[in-house]
Amino acid sequence: MYAVALALAVINLAVFVTAEDITADAGQGIDNTSCGLPGNRPCASIKGALGTAAGLEGPATIRVKPGIYLDDCSENGTAVTRGISIIGDVGIDGQDYPLLDCGGSGRAFFFQPSTLGDAMFVENLHIANGYTEKSSGGAMRVLNGSVHLNSCMFYNCSTLASTASNDVDFELAGGGALFVGSGRINIT
C-alpha cells in the first residue's frame, strides 16, 4: 500500500506547471527555463518569456515591463504556437511602453497555432525595425490563427518580400509590418 502511494506521489510531480503570469523585464531579468515565474527573477527578453511559457500547460500571459528589448528577433521570428497573451505594462505617465527593437535583424513573432481555437493577444507593445528577406511581415507573421492586437505600434518595419515578391509561401504577398495568410488579425 505504501509503494502505491509513493508511486502516485512521483507521478504527480511530473505534471506540467499550470498557466501563470510570466514577467519580462529588460533591465532586471535573466533568461532561463523558469524565468519570469512567481518566485523567480523576470525574463530578460520576450523570447525568454515565450520559452518559459512553452513549459506551461494551458494559456499563458506574459507581462512585459516598460523598457527596450533588443534581443528578441530572428529571420523567421519567435514562434508562437499556442494560446498566449503578451501584455505590455504602461508606465505611470501613460507614455512609457515596452519597445521591442529588432534592429533590422529579423521579425519579432511568427504566430502559427497548433490548435486553431487558440487565442493569441498582443497589447501595449511597440515594435521597431523588424525586417525579413525571405517572407512577408517584417514585425509579425500570422498563419492559420487569430491574433488580437490592442494599442500596438509599429515603426520602420519592412520586408524584401513586399518589394521583390519573393515570399516563400505566398506569391505577390507583402506586409511591411504585418502579414496574415490563412488567418485573421483584429486590430483595436
Side-chain angles (χ1 to χ4, degrees):
M1 181 173 203
Y2 292 110
V4 171
L6 181 58
L8 290 174
V10 171
I11 290 170
N12 284 336
L13 291 176
V15 174
F16 280 106
V17 176
T18 57
E20 298 183 50
D21 281 0
I22 300 164
T23 304
D25 188 336
Q28 298 183 16
I30 184 169
D31 286 339
N32 60 38
T33 57
S34 62
C35 67
L37 292 172
N40 294 336
R41 286 183 62 187
C43 298
S45 67
I46 298 168
K47 189 175 197 172
L50 286 165
T52 297
L56 300 176
E57 190 173 281
T61 299
I62 296 173
R63 303 248 173 228
V64 184
K65 300 290 182 192
I68 298 174
Y69 296 80
L70 297 172
D71 57 349
D72 290 308
C73 304
S74 65
E75 175 64 35
N76 293 323
T78 300
V80 181
T81 59
R82 53 181 289 250
I84 199 148
S85 296
I86 302 170
I87 310 295
D89 291 341
V90 180
I92 295 171
D93 60 2
Q95 302 295 316
D96 194 14
Y97 285 80
L99 170 68
L100 194 157
D101 187 344
C102 293
S105 66
R107 172 189 299 130
F109 303 113
F110 180 10
F111 293 98
Q112 187 172 21
S114 55
T115 304
L116 289 177
D118 283 348
M120 295 174 278
F121 298 89
V122 181
E123 182 174 323
N124 298 330
L125 185 66
H126 293 193
I127 300 175
N129 304 311
Y131 176 77
T132 182
E133 291 184 5
K134 297 180 181 169
S135 59
S136 301
M140 291 183 184
R141 182 177 178 92
V142 180
L143 293 180
N144 304 322
S146 179
V147 176
H148 306 272
L149 301 178
N150 183 31
S151 297
C152 294
M153 298 284 288
F154 301 92
Y155 308 95
N156 195 36
C157 295
S158 62
T159 175
L160 186 60
S162 65
T163 57
S165 301
N166 65 345
D167 190 294
V168 295
D169 296 319
F170 297 90
E171 186 177 339
L172 301 174
L178 304 171
F179 176 78
V180 181
S182 306
R184 184 176 81 191
I185 195 162
N186 297 315
I187 301 172
T188 56

